[in-house]
Amino acid sequence: MISKPERVVLIGVAGDSGCGKSTFLQRLEDLFGAEFMTVICLDDYHSLDRKQRKETGITALDPRANNFDLMYEQIKALKNNQAIDKPIYNHETGELDPPERIDPNHIVVIEGLHPLHDERVRGLIDFSVYLDISDEVKISWKIQRDMAERGHTYDDILASINARRPDFDAYIDPQKQHADVVIQILPTQLLEEEKPGEILRVRLIQKEDVKDFDPVYLFDEGSTINWVPCGRKLTCSYPGIRMFYGPDDYYGNSVSVLEVDGQFEKLDEVIYIESHLSNTSAKHYGEMTELLLKHRDYPGSNNGSGLFQVLTGLKMRSTYERLISDKSQEKAAV
Ligand SMILES: Nc1ncnc2c1ncn2[C@@H]1O[C@H](COP(=O)(O)OP(=O)(O)OP(=O)(O)O)[C@@H](O)[C@H]1O
Ligand SMILES: O=C(CO)[C@H](O)[C@H](O)COP(=O)(O)O
């Protein structure tokens, strides 16, 4: 039995369906342990079931199809260390099942379409990430998964992405301005012509001046650096790897951007890149690379998407530890 938390730390993981949220959550489990962390899928707060959405023409991405009052009340209760009876949206039937009891836990992760949409819910979150996948890459991933595993046709996939786009643009995408970290996934710039989604350019956009969060940097904090790490220590095959680090402005916020374009040939050599990064929040030399190597089979492990998921997880762990230590100090002072 896991001890009762003294302080519930709330993490938000936002992004469209099929954008890598489950993969990210599996990586978080390595850092916190499955028992220490409770994941709430915000689909459970759909207020309109599948039939009602069809009748009204309101999509699941539209806030009107979701009960933000209940979401806020329940997430607030969990943060206040109280159990909740959370609704369950059943993706097989498209209906709501009877609620389930959820106890507070050390880490509560709210993941899904809208963790950062409602100002009240957003205010409860201690650290958030938005998974921002460009259209070209999203289509390619959907094709890989939904054609191979779910029997959908190419036209079905394209039609479903296009049908979701207006509400995606209106209600999901704007949340990225509120995230502490955005993992942006784009097609490579290393090749003129490329099959979209095969080689990726991945950017870790980190907000500056966030309490309890020190962004990762390459070589020299605040500088602008272009680095081709392919040399004696990192094996690169065509078209190679290019990294970038530098300051930027993102929706009016000061951010730093770390970028990897290309893919790793030998995963254990990522230690070479790790040794040039600072503020990774790893607890020992090589921890970031070990975490990546632990699940070399997860999608994205051989490129910046896996690397930045691991780094974001390390940052979440560090924020958690700081918040817990603040809480202990508060208690000791009373
Ligand atoms: N980093 C990645 N590199 C390549 N493909 C990826 C990556 N992340 C995810 N994918 C592809 O997208 C699919 C969906 O990933 P995942 O299940 O993690 O997303 P999700 O956001 O949890 O999706 P859903 O909400 O639909 O369950 C994977 O099966 C894989 O095909
Ligand atoms: O974007 C989604 C989040 O996962 C789903 O489309 C939404 O939850 C509706 O689910 P379903 O299509 O099973 O009724």
Side-chain angles (χ1 to χ4, degrees):
M1 168 82 184
I2 287 281
S3 56
K4 205 169 158 24
E6 275 186 18
R7 194 243 202 232
V8 174
V9 173
L10 184 68
I11 286 175
V13 179
D16 200 2
S17 153
C19 283
K21 296 189 296 293
S22 314
T23 312
F24 178 68
L25 294 173
Q26 282 169 305
R27 292 193 195 277
L28 266 196
E29 255 186 48
D30 289 344
L31 290 159
F32 292 119
E35 285 196 23
F36 222 66
M37 156 177 149
T38 296
V39 177
I40 294 181
C41 173
L42 296 181
D43 294 353
D44 290 332
Y45 292 93
H46 288 335
S47 51
L48 301 182
D49 63 20
R50 195 178 292 154
K51 188 163 161 266
Q52 291 168 322
R53 291 196 306 269
K54 203 164 176 204
E55 282 164 2
T56 55
I58 296 174
T59 73
L61 298 96
D62 188 319
R64 290 174 297 168
N66 296 278
N67 188 342
F68 286 101
D69 290 340
L70 183 65
M71 190 192 293
Y72 169 62
E73 289 305 329
Q74 294 206 333
I75 304 300
K76 187 171 68 164
L78 279 177
K79 267 205 95 169
N80 288 334
N81 239 322
Q82 292 155 2
I84 57 168
D85 291 317
K86 181 186 65 59
I88 301 176
Y89 179 74
N90 183 329
H91 280 279
E92 276 179 31
T93 60
E95 290 172 2
L96 285 161
D97 285 347
E100 62 176 340
R101 173 55 56 112
I102 301 284
D103 290 313
N105 203 344
H106 298 262
I107 311 280
V108 172
V109 181
I110 52 171
E111 64 93 6
L113 297 170
H114 299 105
L116 301 169
H117 174 81
D118 185 281
E119 199 180 347
R120 297 164 302 170
V121 177
R122 202 161 69 225
L124 298 170
I125 293 179
D126 296 299
F127 196 101
S128 56
V129 59
Y130 181 92
L131 304 178
D132 184 15
I133 318 297
S134 73
D135 260 8
E136 301 97 310
V137 177
K138 200 187 279 186
I139 292 168
S140 134
W141 287 1
K142 281 256 177 208
I143 287 167
Q144 274 168 36
R145 183 182 70 172
D146 295 354
M147 268 172 84
E149 295 167 22
R150 301 187 179 178
H152 297 193
T153 67
Y154 178 81
D155 288 344
D156 288 346
I157 292 166
L158 215 56
S160 111
I161 290 179
N162 285 335
R164 286 170 80 94
R165 185 166 290 121
D167 283 350
F168 176 82
D169 290 345
Y171 309 117
I172 310 304
D173 192 63
Q175 294 176 92
K176 61 192 183 195
Q177 64 193 290
H178 302 298
D180 296 312
V181 164
V182 174
I183 300 180
Q184 187 180 38
I185 307 197
L186 303 154
T188 183
Q189 287 183 336
L190 297 171
L191 296 169
E192 297 263 310
E193 297 248 335
E194 205 258 331
K195 231 170 111 195
E198 217 137 88
I199 301 184
L200 302 176
R201 175 163 79 105
V202 188
R203 288 157 61 86
L204 182 70
I205 301 168
Q206 310 172 88
K207 244 183 210 165
E208 297 283 338
D209 309 319
V210 174
K211 192 175 171 289
D212 299 315
F213 168 45
D214 297 323
V216 183
Y217 65 89
L218 179 65
F219 296 124
D220 179 28
E221 194 166 19
S223 294
T224 298
I225 289 154
N226 282 292
W227 185 35
V228 177
C230 307
R232 296 197 182 156
K233 305 262 177 60
L234 193 80
T235 313
C236 295
S237 61
Y238 182 78
I241 296 178
R242 197 182 292 154
M243 290 188 68
F244 166 83
Y245 165 73
D248 206 345
D249 178 89
Y250 189 73
Y251 293 97
N253 294 306
S254 296
V255 295
S256 60
V257 178
L258 180 65
E259 178 179 316
V260 178
D261 193 350
Q263 52 193 37
F264 309 118
E265 188 71 17
K266 296 186 180 162
L267 217 47
D268 51 346
E269 291 177 355
V270 172
I271 187 97
Y272 176 63
I273 290 174
E274 180 172 0
S275 64
H276 289 80
L277 294 172
S278 299
N279 268 353
T280 59
S281 299
K283 290 205 169 157
H284 58 266
Y285 177 71
E287 188 186 16
M288 186 196 84
T289 310
E290 282 166 22
L291 288 162
L292 200 61
L293 281 167
K294 191 166 174 191
H295 300 291
R296 44 170 76 240
D297 54 318
Y298 283 4
S301 286
N302 68 340
N303 62 45
S305 65
L307 181 73
F308 292 159
Q309 285 190 352
V310 168
L311 275 175
T312 304
L314 289 170
K315 287 292 151 195
M316 287 175 170
R317 182 180 68 183
S318 153
T319 298
Y320 165 78
E321 286 173 353
R322 287 190 196 186
L323 290 170
I324 294 305
S325 122
D326 289 352
K327 184 78 187 175
S328 311
Q329 281 170 17
E330 249 172 56
K331 256 185 91 180
V334 174

